[in-house]
Amino acid sequence: MRARPAPAEVPVGDPLSDVLALLQIRDGTSLRIAAGGAWALRLPSYSYLKFIAQVEGRQWIRVDGGDTAICLEPGDCLVMHGGRPFVVASDLALAPVDGVAHFAAAMDRASGSVRWGEGAPDMVAVAGRFEIAPGQRALLDEILPPELHIRAASRAAPALRALLELFRDEAQAGAPGQRAVTAGLARIALVQALRAHGEGPAADGWLGALADPRIGPVLRALHGDPARRWTLPELARAGGMSRSALALRFKALVGSAPLHYLQQWRMRLARQALVQGSEPVATLAYRLGYASESAFSAAFKKSTGLAPGQFRQQGTATGLTR
């Protein structure tokens, strides 16, 4: 009897790093915020990714149209990208003032810190502002809810606390390179916060799927080798379940079927490659697992409405990866 061929090794990718690389998250401003007494600020809509980590005391945040107010306590983090105006306050019963003008008046640009109120501060927080690649907001919407509250009791809390302590010490030191260091710490804290949500009991969506003991290995396999001609039986084995169970669980957690998710991910990689590089379309098609340039071009046009060459020309002119 002929021996059966050994099953191909299942690759292990890093989906979160892949997504962050595609988003091209860039450090914007990073601030240490200290406040005392009673205060309430109203802040306008925004177009970036916002990160707030509570170091001392507490503050309340109420987003326009939100179901409930959010209370940030020491060790808590909040990731926001919904863009809706919001009120931040020591007490939400207070009438808010113009937050933009208030920040401008209280800003110490040399140290990258903001302080207001009377007496010693009883609330200290770290706020980071991150820009993402133009045209990637849809991807951000897919992996994150508009406002993501990570509580200090999460599994990643020790790492976050250590980062916040480093930030507090660095912000107070006034050493050369301070702003570069604090921006880097805020970026690492953002990644830790995303990990924490995925590992938490209330995890849902893409981050929850990544931490799921069954679907997580499937996502890592797909990201580990997106060019591979995956089959449902192969993916089911990677997740240790039947094909029907895989299809149901993957759709429930991720929002699409496994092979449809693979197709969408390939298209995201293709859009980025076409705008940011000069790789020939035929080479890109092969690298992403398509049997021919024509097959890739047909799939790409179905996804974007444009042929690959047209997309490259348009994207290069506008600087977008839509």
Side-chain angles (χ1 to χ4, degrees):
M1 293 179 63
R2 294 178 61 185
R4 290 183 178 181
E9 182 179 352
V10 176
V12 179
D14 184 352
L16 181 55
S17 291
D18 290 343
V19 166
L20 292 174
L22 206 58
L23 289 173
Q24 299 175 49
I25 294 177
R26 299 183 295 278
D27 300 328
T29 58
S30 180
L31 296 173
R32 177 182 183 271
I33 301 172
W39 52 274
L41 310 177
R42 180 164 185 80
L43 294 164
S45 58
Y46 55 96
S47 60
Y48 44 84
L49 182 66
K50 184 185 293 287
F51 174 77
I52 304 172
Q54 197 69 16
V55 180
E56 298 174 10
R58 70 177 186 177
Q59 62 179 319
W60 290 87
I61 294 175
R62 182 175 59 214
V63 178
D64 285 10
D67 295 332
T68 59
I70 298 168
C71 180
L72 292 182
E73 299 184 321
D76 285 6
C77 295
L78 179 65
V79 180
M80 305 172 67
H81 72 93
R84 296 180 291 180
F86 62 98
V87 171
V88 56
S90 61
D91 182 352
L92 289 173
L94 298 170
V97 301
D98 182 351
V100 174
H102 200 80
F103 266 78
M107 175 78 71
D108 181 350
R109 297 191 179 278
S111 64
S113 64
V114 179
R115 179 173 176 173
W116 64 77
E118 299 178 355
D122 54 18
M123 192 288 296
V124 178
V126 173
R129 166 179 168 172
F130 302 95
E131 304 290 342
I132 66 170
Q136 292 292 4
R137 177 155 294 278
L139 175 58
L140 194 61
D141 291 340
E142 288 180 17
I143 70 166
L144 283 178
E147 292 85 33
L148 174 59
H149 183 192
I150 302 101
R151 300 184 186 278
S154 68
R155 288 177 57 188
L160 282 169
R161 279 198 299 270
L163 285 167
L164 294 181
E165 288 174 5
L166 283 171
F167 190 101
R168 181 187 57 199
D169 294 343
E170 185 66 28
Q172 293 173 346
Q178 170 190 326
R179 296 181 70 176
V181 172
T182 54
L185 290 174
R187 185 185 179 94
I188 297 171
L190 170 64
V191 176
Q192 286 288 355
L194 298 181
R195 287 178 176 175
H197 175 69
E199 296 169 354
D204 55 7
W206 187 85
L207 287 171
L210 184 56
D212 184 83
R214 298 292 189 185
I215 300 304
V218 178
L219 284 171
R220 287 189 284 274
L222 291 172
H223 279 256
D225 190 358
R228 182 165 165 175
R229 295 183 182 179
W230 289 100
T231 65
L232 279 179
E234 287 177 321
L235 294 173
R237 284 195 296 272
M241 64 186 109
S242 68
R243 284 176 290 176
S244 58
L246 166 65
L248 289 172
R249 191 168 182 83
F250 198 98
K251 180 70 178 291
L253 293 180
V254 180
S256 63
L259 296 182
H260 181 65
Y261 175 88
L262 174 62
Q263 170 73 359
Q264 289 179 312
W265 182 245
R266 285 174 171 175
M267 291 297 102
R268 293 190 189 281
L269 294 176
R271 292 196 295 270
Q272 183 189 49
L274 286 168
V275 171
Q276 297 186 346
S278 57
E279 185 177 15
V281 173
T283 304
L284 176 61
Y286 178 78
R287 181 166 66 81
L288 292 178
Y290 289 87
S292 66
E293 180 178 349
S294 61
F296 167 72
S297 296
F300 190 87
K301 187 168 185 178
K302 183 179 179 180
S303 174
T304 66
L306 295 172
Q310 292 174 309
F311 185 91
R312 168 172 276 163
Q313 186 176 32
Q314 185 181 88
T316 301
T318 60
L320 297 179
T321 55
R322 23 187 253 183

